[in-house]
Amino acid sequence: MSVTSHDVARLAGVSQATVSRALSDHPKVSPRTKHLVREAAAQLGYVPSEAGRSLSSGRSRRVGLLVTDLDNQFYAQLIPPAHRELERYGYQLMLHTESGEDAAIADRLIAGGLAGVILATATLDSATPARLHDRSVPFVYFNRTGSFVEADATVVDPVPGHEAAVEHIVAAGHRRVAAILGPENTSTGRAREAALRNALRRHGIHLPAHLVRRGGYDTETGDRAMTELLADARPTLVFAANDVVAIGALNALRRAGAVPARDVSIIGFDDLPPARWDIIQLSSIAYDLEAMMRETARLITARLEGSTDAFHSATFSTRYVDRSTVGVLPSAGG
Amino acid sequence: MSVTSHDVARLAGVSQATVSRALSDHPKVSPRTKHLVREAAAQLGYVPSEAGRSLSSGRSRRVGLLVTDLDNQFYAQLIPPAHRELERYGYQLMLHTESGEDAAIADRLIAGGLAGVILATATLDSATPARLHDRSVPFVYFNRTGSFVEADATVVDPVPGHEAAVEHIVAAGHRRVAAILGPENTSTGRAREAALRNALRRHGIHLPAHLVRRGGYDTETGDRAMTELLADARPTLVFAANDVVAIGALNALRRAGAVPARDVSIIGFDDLPPARWDIIQLSSIAYDLEAMMRETARLITARLEGSTDAFHSATFSTRYVDRSTVGVLPSAGG
């Protein structure tokens, strides 16, 4: 005879719904009630079945996180806060990557029986949002704007960080500035490019085509682009599309025997943990990625709990963090 | 009227079981059959329900990966190959971390309705294996030996890599060797310590207590230990428990104004991607972590498919990779 949540509820003196919420560590259940329920469950040898929970509530407690590439340090960085925060709300994180055709991705997400999806991929032309919408699978955009299908979203405003960075580098004497930009079919790539060009323009600095490289958000792009820029254009400073790209650029500098800040200055974006290592000390444009993922998890769970109607968008500001990869030119202030 | 897998099977001219396997991308279904089934499913607008699949087969297609800390780069490194390989076998990866009491972890894994679990946590004294065994949840050990409960396992043999490393450093003139060792309650920490001490002993080098530090597998441990060693003991070379610890040690060196190889040499373990960056170039003891996770996924899925009876263990050898953090002393060969 198997023990049910009804038995646990009776022993603990609470409702069956409270048993389920207490055992999934729901933040709205008090520590004392959680303790009572766990004691009762332990005493009876009760183990809740996730499949049973899913059937009784009509849907699963699983939220998908769709990323482009798990091997990329930026996407790897999203997993711990997403995992922690969803768990806090009693949901489990499911990882999904974009490999394969675009249409197949939405079908895989739907087939996975997910309650909802966090879309952390970058491409604007993806059909995934529309397909999820057609199938009534709730989703939230992480770090993406300008999509055709409306949904809750968390976004980064790259303007304040770029303005502060450009102010700093102009004061340090930099005028010959290059950029390794992100993919043109991403909202992040476009938004950062616009923010950079506008900030430079206000200081009378133009970003000519021969000082611009483009590519994916990976170290290879940064490595190749920096190697080309060193050979052709010799900028005094390079804005990298993100920190992963900046690390690739630093690798190219090292191989060329050049020293960051002294020979070429570099600024990243995202302020990932390696940027703070003493052996790297990358100047970067930072925002609170941890808080942003917390807010993303909150938005999707609020949507799943039906506690919200209107679409919400949360914007996270940026700031410039000056470390050791930006140098002062002899001409500065002279 | 909802479309069922029966309808898809009829249209594609295959069995219902084949429809389920084809849509979960099972490796044993031919690409042609997968194509037929997907076409039929698309034509009918069929979306398989994971909950339905789980009920019809009596268990879920979800495999848990239990790690100590997702923020740690070593554990983050395990996720992409585990995810990819499990997906190839038609299983989904669920992440679990060790936060909370030990007993609660096993209950959470069981409550999650997992088909099986990959135990990638390091502590030997954990009660999790016994609890999973009692509940008949199949599991496999990743990188752990010497547990009381028998199960399939993948392990690393640290001996060849340490012998090659010690041979190299002895030829380079190093005799005053220090070590930052991993936790004593982990099999990896114990196995690496024994391999290092034995290899050094064969060359007449002793590892005295004042040249040994211990701690967790994190950058803070490496940073603190190297700071202490620089102040007290001044070794010419330091073996770090792994690459994450070695990066912490490199950070401490940089802050002290010391140069790796020239002032103090450092050797890591795991050969993670940052070890290969030109700006780090960490000498390390390497093994094929990617192949090891592939084999781990194969072992747990074989166990779940019931295609195996005896317990299997796969051992991955190590080798020394010499990069830029090990220097040659003036006395070497002199």
Side-chain angles (χ1 to χ4, degrees), chain A residues 98-157:
Chain A
E98 260 191 333
S99 58
E101 319 122 63
D102 194 54
I105 295 158
D107 286 345
R108 271 193 289 128
L109 295 172
I110 294 159
L114 299 173
V117 180
I118 297 170
L119 292 178
T121 51
T123 47
L124 287 168
D125 41 14
S126 161
T128 306
R131 290 182 76 100
L132 292 177
H133 176 81
D134 290 348
R135 297 295 195 152
S136 305
V137 176
F139 63 93
V140 53
Y141 296 113
F142 176 87
N143 201 8
R144 174 160 69 170
T145 53
S147 289
F148 292 113
V149 186
E150 214 182 354
D152 297 312
T154 53
V155 294
V156 171
D157 175 9

Side-chain angles (χ1 to χ4, degrees), chain B residues 23-45:
Chain B
L23 292 179
S24 65
D25 209 22
H26 195 285
K28 282 194 182 154
V29 178
S30 75
R32 197 186 124 73
T33 304
K34 280 180 193 169
H35 180 75
L36 275 174
V37 170
R38 282 175 186 155
E39 287 273 287
Q43 203 173 320
L44 296 168

Side-chain angles (χ1 to χ4, degrees), chain B residues 187-211:
Chain B
S187 67
T188 50
R190 288 188 194 179
R192 289 175 208 171
E193 175 174 0
L196 174 61
R197 288 192 186 271
N198 287 338
L200 289 172
R201 191 175 301 125
R202 285 156 54 123
H203 291 274
I205 299 175
H206 179 57
L207 201 57
H210 72 281
L211 285 169

Side-chain angles (χ1 to χ4, degrees), chain A residues 23 38 42 45-51 53-55 62 69-71 73 76-77 79-81 83-84 87 92-97 99 101 107-108 110-114 135 219 223 247 250-252 254-255 274 276-280 290, chain B residues 23 38 42 45-51 53-55 62 69-71 73 76-77 79-81 83-84 87 92-97 99 101 107-108 110-114 135 219 223 247 250-252 254-255 274 276-280 290:
Chain A
L23 293 177
R38 282 176 186 153
Y46 171 71
V47 171
S49 136
E50 206 271 341
R53 266 217 307 280
S54 147
L55 286 175
R62 297 193 295 279
D69 174 13
L70 280 174
D71 288 306
Q73 186 137 19
Q77 200 63 27
I79 296 171
H83 175 78
R84 268 194 297 269
E87 204 167 57
Q92 286 186 297
L93 173 72
M94 306 294 302
L95 294 175
H96 291 269
T97 53
S99 58
E101 319 122 63
D107 286 345
R108 271 193 289 128
I110 294 159
L114 299 173
R135 297 295 195 152
T219 51
D223 196 318
I247 284 168
L250 288 169
N251 285 336
R254 175 68 59 96
R255 278 204 317 284
R276 295 166 226 159
W277 292 348
D278 294 280
I279 49 172
I280 296 189
E290 180 92 25
Chain B
L23 292 179
R38 282 175 186 155
Y46 171 72
V47 172
S49 135
E50 208 270 340
R53 268 217 306 281
S54 150
L55 286 175
R62 296 193 294 279
D69 174 13
L70 280 175
D71 287 306
Q73 185 138 20
Q77 201 62 28
I79 296 172
H83 175 79
R84 269 193 298 269
E87 203 167 58
Q92 286 186 298
L93 173 72
M94 305 295 302
L95 295 176
H96 290 269
T97 52
S99 58
E101 319 120 65
D107 286 345
R108 269 193 291 130
I110 294 159
L114 298 173
R135 298 293 194 151
T219 51
D223 195 316
I247 284 169
L250 287 170
N251 284 337
R254 174 67 59 96
R255 277 205 318 283
R276 296 167 225 157
W277 293 347
D278 294 279
I279 49 173
I280 296 188
E290 178 92 26

Side-chain angles (χ1 to χ4, degrees), chain A:
Chain A
M1 202 188 68
S2 90
V3 177
T4 68
S5 65
H6 184 247
D7 305 319
V8 179
R10 269 183 64 178
L11 184 60
V14 300
S15 73
Q16 255 178 292
T18 302
V19 168
S20 143
R21 278 202 299 267
L23 293 177
S24 64
D25 209 21
H26 195 284
K28 285 194 182 153
V29 178
S30 75
R32 196 187 126 71
T33 305
K34 280 180 192 168
H35 179 75
L36 275 174
V37 170
R38 282 176 186 153
E39 286 274 286
Q43 202 174 320
L44 295 168
Y46 171 71
V47 171
S49 136
E50 206 271 341
R53 266 217 307 280
S54 147
L55 286 175
S56 67
S57 69
R59 56 187 167 67
S60 80
R61 303 283 293 179
R62 297 193 295 279
V63 170
L65 172 66
L66 181 68
V67 303
T68 301
D69 174 13
L70 280 174
D71 288 306
N72 188 302
Q73 186 137 19
F74 174 73
Y75 290 113
Q77 200 63 27
L78 305 182
I79 296 171
H83 175 78
R84 268 194 297 269
E85 202 61 14
L86 288 172
E87 204 167 57
R88 239 173 57 82
Y89 290 104
Y91 287 85
Q92 286 186 297
L93 173 72
M94 306 294 302
L95 294 175
H96 291 269
T97 53
E98 260 191 333
S99 58
E101 319 122 63
D102 194 54
I105 295 158
D107 286 345
R108 271 193 289 128
L109 295 172
I110 294 159
L114 299 173
V117 180
I118 297 170
L119 292 178
T121 51
T123 47
L124 287 168
D125 41 14
S126 161
T128 306
R131 290 182 76 100
L132 292 177
H133 176 81
D134 290 348
R135 297 295 195 152
S136 305
V137 176
F139 63 93
V140 53
Y141 296 113
F142 176 87
N143 201 8
R144 174 160 69 170
T145 53
S147 289
F148 292 113
V149 186
E150 214 182 354
D152 297 312
T154 53
V155 294
V156 171
D157 175 9
V159 171
H162 277 94
E163 289 193 342
V166 168
E167 213 147 289
H168 177 85
I169 65 162
V170 166
H174 294 278
R175 309 281 309 169
R176 193 171 170 76
V177 176
I180 309 172
L181 301 173
E184 267 185 299
N185 66 341
T186 62
S187 65
T188 48
R190 289 188 195 179
R192 289 174 209 171
E193 176 176 357
L196 175 61
R197 287 192 187 271
N198 287 337
L200 289 172
R201 192 175 301 126
R202 285 156 53 125
H203 291 273
I205 300 176
H206 179 58
L207 201 58
H210 73 281
L211 284 169
V212 171
R213 294 294 183 281
R214 282 184 199 278
Y217 286 125
D218 47 58
T219 51
E220 293 71 27
T221 292
D223 196 318
R224 195 176 48 241
M226 181 57 96
T227 304
E228 287 176 21
L229 288 169
L230 283 175
D232 302 349
R234 284 260 156 212
T236 66
L237 183 140
V238 178
F239 276 91
N242 72 7
D243 287 355
V244 174
V245 172
I247 284 168
L250 288 169
N251 285 336
L253 274 192
R254 175 68 59 96
R255 278 204 317 284
V259 176
R262 192 195 68 185
D263 299 321
V264 184
S265 294
I266 298 186
I267 295 175
F269 193 99
D270 286 333
D271 198 28
L272 297 184
R276 295 166 226 159
W277 292 348
D278 294 280
I279 49 172
I280 296 189
Q281 284 287 310
L282 174 66
S283 299
S284 188
I285 293 173
Y287 54 97
D288 194 341
L289 192 145
E290 180 92 25
M292 188 169 157
M293 185 47 91
R294 279 202 303 273
E295 176 65 12
T296 309
R298 205 193 59 75
L299 284 172
I300 189 71
T301 53
R303 175 71 51 197
L304 295 175
E305 309 285 343
S307 60
T308 179
D309 266 332
F311 287 115
H312 295 276
S313 163
T315 302
F316 290 77
S317 191
T318 47
R319 66 187 192 284
Y320 172 63
V321 180
D322 190 47
R323 294 203 183 90
S324 304
T325 57
V326 171
V328 176
L329 296 189
S331 58

